[in-house]
Amino acid sequence: MDCPSCGGSVTLETGPGRPLSTSVASAILAADEDEQIVITQNCWNCGWYEERYIRVESLETTEGDDVAIKRAALIDEITDELTTIDSLATLEDARAEIRRQRRLEPSSKESTDKTRDK
């Protein structure tokens, strides 16, 4: 944003009690219900400034799909474990075992067909 007074660059600061580098979006997401956030715009060339106040009246949140969250966490855990393995043969064996297990599991199409027949 440019300064409306001199056209210089303007910095944004969020407060109170937040580091100067905190973005407005981060401040809003971290806010508690009924909290006030102060956003100050400063022009260091001419001294112009403006303060705006945002009050968070209520918070509404939705949670993600529990299965997707657990799956993502498990994938992260598996990836972390795999990155610590130095042996190429061990990684190849792990991949072969995963593929073997996938072949043994009924496909989603087969299980859907079996469910329809019942």
Side-chain angles (χ1 to χ4, degrees):
M1 178 179 166
D2 294 333
C3 174
S5 182
C6 73
S9 63
V10 174
T11 60
L12 288 174
E13 297 174 5
T14 57
R18 290 183 175 78
L20 295 176
S21 61
T22 303
S23 70
V24 175
S26 295
I28 291 171
L29 290 172
D32 293 324
E33 193 168 329
D34 204 37
E35 182 177 346
Q36 181 171 295
I37 300 168
V38 181
I39 302 167
T40 306
Q41 301 176 83
N42 295 301
C43 176
W44 299 106
N45 292 334
C46 70
W48 174 87
Y49 75 96
E50 176 182 78
E51 289 184 346
R52 293 189 177 206
Y53 301 88
I54 298 173
R55 176 160 310 279
V56 178
E57 291 185 7
S58 66
L59 295 173
E60 293 181 25
T61 59
T62 56
E63 295 182 13
D65 178 14
D66 286 342
V67 172
I69 292 169
K70 288 177 183 175
R71 184 176 189 278
L74 187 56
I75 289 172
D76 284 345
E77 187 178 326
I78 291 168
T79 303
D80 290 345
E81 192 166 330
L82 289 174
T83 57
T84 63
I85 297 173
D86 292 331
S87 168
L88 184 58
T90 302
L91 290 172
E92 289 172 344
D93 290 345
R95 182 178 66 179
E97 179 61 20
I98 290 168
R99 288 181 175 170
R100 187 183 74 74
Q101 289 291 326
R102 287 175 63 195
R103 281 193 306 272
L104 294 176
E105 291 176 357
S107 72
S108 58
K109 184 176 187 280
E110 288 175 4
S111 60
T112 304
D113 291 343
K114 288 178 184 176
T115 308
R116 287 184 194 157
D117 292 341
K118 290 183 178 181

